[in-house]
Amino acid sequence: MNRTVLRLAIVVSATLWCSVMALAQDQGARTSADPVAGQLGLHATAVPLDGPIDETAYMVGPGDLFVVTIATIPPQSMALTVTSQGTLVIPLVGEIKGLSKTLAAFRADVIAAIKQRYLQ
């Protein structure tokens, strides 16, 4: 009796493992190459860049996508998009204006807003 149960458990485990692997491969084909985007369920295709972005020259604008990670327990990661009005709305933190700001200045504003809300 115990051998039959053991064999059945091995067959079920192997079947589930194959199903999980097939699902993971299917998900990998549809998600971005960015591991953070994949974890957040973003299915957009990554757009290759010519080189790194100069954060002192790049101006934040509507439609820019940011992944905000707040180091709480457990950590909170959110994929957020700059609104058409040029603001980034972070749940439980607030609205940060990004229009006409460089990426470096906007990043500093986002970090300052998160620090005001969450204790260090």
Side-chain angles (χ1 to χ4, degrees):
M1 180 73 176
N2 287 338
R3 284 186 168 203
T4 305
V5 172
L6 181 60
R7 284 183 203 163
L8 181 60
I10 290 171
V11 169
V12 169
S13 297
T15 304
L16 288 175
W17 179 255
C18 291
S19 298
V20 169
M21 292 303 293
L23 180 62
Q25 289 175 357
D26 182 46
Q27 288 290 331
R30 289 186 291 151
T31 58
S32 170
D34 183 7
V36 174
Q39 290 175 356
L40 295 173
L42 300 176
H43 300 294
T45 304
V47 177
L49 300 173
D50 291 337
I53 294 174
D54 181 5
E55 60 183 36
T56 59
Y58 182 83
M59 302 301 285
V60 174
D64 285 348
L65 177 68
F66 290 91
V67 176
V68 178
T69 302
I70 302 173
T72 57
I73 299 175
Q76 301 175 41
S77 288
M78 300 164 259
L80 304 169
T81 305
V82 176
T83 66
S84 58
Q85 292 80 26
T87 61
L88 187 70
V89 180
I90 303 175
L92 300 176
V93 172
E95 186 176 29
I96 298 103
K97 294 181 181 179
L99 208 56
S100 302
K101 290 185 182 177
T102 64
L103 182 57
F106 184 63
R107 177 182 292 156
D109 290 350
V110 168
I111 291 171
I114 290 172
K115 282 184 177 181
Q116 283 182 347
R117 170 62 176 93
Y118 291 93
L119 298 175
Q120 295 182 11

